[in-house]
Amino acid sequence: GAVVSQHPSRVICKSGTSVKIECRSLDFQATTMFWYRQFPKQSLMLMATSNEGSKATYEQGVEKDKFLINHASLTLSTLTVTSAHPEDSSFYICSYRDPLGAFFGQGTRLTVV
Amino acid sequence: GQQLNQSPQSMFIQEGEDVSMNCTSSSIFNTWLWYKQEPGEGPVLLIALYKAGELTSNGRLTAQFGITRKDSFLNISASIPSDVGIYFCAGLRFGNEKLTFGTGTRLTIIP
């Protein structure tokens, strides 16, 4: 299956700053990338679907101006949490699909202080 | 969004015991996926099922795609300490790239 590399694994930032999370497909080119958010002891919740070369599609209730997604190439998608606040602290995970299934990055633990 | 009903929510078992968990839905899925997630990590794909009735093994893990296409089961035989984690099921439908996740089963092994 596809190998997905996500960075950073952990980040602590001050309230009001922005944080960029990168997700790379190392052995698979994908036109679509999925971004999830996971709160403690909960399942993964889809935030948005990013499409290479076009605008991302956001799930209901997810602020597109808050969570900026860029999918500039077939192997790289980025999620930027803008003007982060403590309530944005969470575990963010990217995912690629291939014909065999869905493969996830290692996740990024964001803590906003 | 929709979530699959996964049970049990948590399990406390002794090393060496077998484990069974299941995932049910009110609607049909065409692919069932089972994942394991450890603390601070992303989910890792364990088994993928593509056909109703399919039974697939991966080492000590065995999963089945229900005949009705509305459920799936995961069994772990002779559990070991490294089996500890949260297990998620996920479903896919034709024409829809989005995964629908189960609520998760947290497995704890009692020494």
Side-chain angles (χ1 to χ4, degrees):
Chain A
V3 177
V4 183
S5 178
Q6 185 174 342
H7 294 280
S9 58
R10 289 175 176 269
V11 59
I12 301 173
C13 71
K14 290 186 178 180
S15 187
T17 62
S18 295
V19 173
K20 180 185 283 189
I21 301 169
E22 289 191 350
C23 200
R24 294 181 184 273
S25 170
L26 300 183
D27 61 353
F28 184 76
Q29 292 186 330
T31 56
T32 303
M33 167 78 88
F34 302 91
W35 286 94
Y36 292 84
R37 182 174 183 176
Q38 187 179 31
F39 290 106
K41 297 187 178 181
Q42 293 189 21
S43 188
L44 283 75
M45 297 302 295
L46 181 65
M47 298 174 64
T49 303
S50 81
N51 301 292
E52 189 264 340
S54 64
K55 291 183 179 180
T57 305
Y58 290 82
E59 295 298 300
Q60 190 174 6
V62 178
E63 299 175 57
K64 62 179 181 179
D65 295 329
K66 170 70 138 175
F67 300 99
L68 298 180
I69 290 173
N70 184 285
H71 195 159
S73 77
L74 291 173
T75 58
L76 174 63
S77 178
T78 62
L79 168 67
T80 301
V81 183
T82 62
S83 187
H85 291 284
E87 58 265 29
D88 297 324
S89 298
S90 190
F91 194 58
Y92 294 88
I93 316 171
C94 61
S95 173
Y96 275 113
R97 284 280 314 280
D98 79 2
L100 297 177
F103 300 90
F104 291 84
Q106 300 91 328
T108 298
R109 170 72 60 195
L110 171 63
T111 303
V112 185
V113 298
Chain B
Q2 180 195 3
Q3 281 190 318
L4 300 170
N5 186 22
Q6 190 171 340
S7 65
Q9 186 175 4
S10 61
M11 301 183 75
F12 295 84
I13 63 166
Q14 290 191 322
E15 184 177 350
E17 288 186 12
D18 296 342
V19 172
S20 291
M21 61 189 79
N22 68 75
C23 208
T24 59
S25 170
S26 58
S27 54
I28 287 172
F29 286 93
N30 303 109
T31 297
W32 284 92
L33 305 170
W34 282 94
Y35 292 90
K36 180 188 177 186
Q37 186 179 27
E38 298 189 21
E41 301 287 333
V44 174
L45 182 63
L46 300 173
I47 293 179
L49 303 160
Y50 306 106
K51 190 176 175 182
E54 181 181 354
L55 184 71
T56 298
S57 293
N58 178 5
R60 292 178 296 106
L61 278 63
T62 302
Q64 184 161 24
F65 192 142
I67 291 291
T68 65
R69 298 188 179 182
K70 294 182 179 181
D71 57 11
S72 181
F73 305 87
L74 175 69
N75 295 317
I76 306 173
S77 63
S79 58
I80 60 177
S82 61
D83 291 333
V84 166
I86 303 176
Y87 292 79
F88 289 103
C89 61
L92 278 169
R93 295 187 179 92
F94 288 147
N96 188 342
E97 286 193 303
K98 298 179 185 179
L99 279 174
T100 301
F101 273 94
T103 46
T105 296
R106 182 179 295 270
L107 178 62
T108 302
I109 295 184
I110 305 166

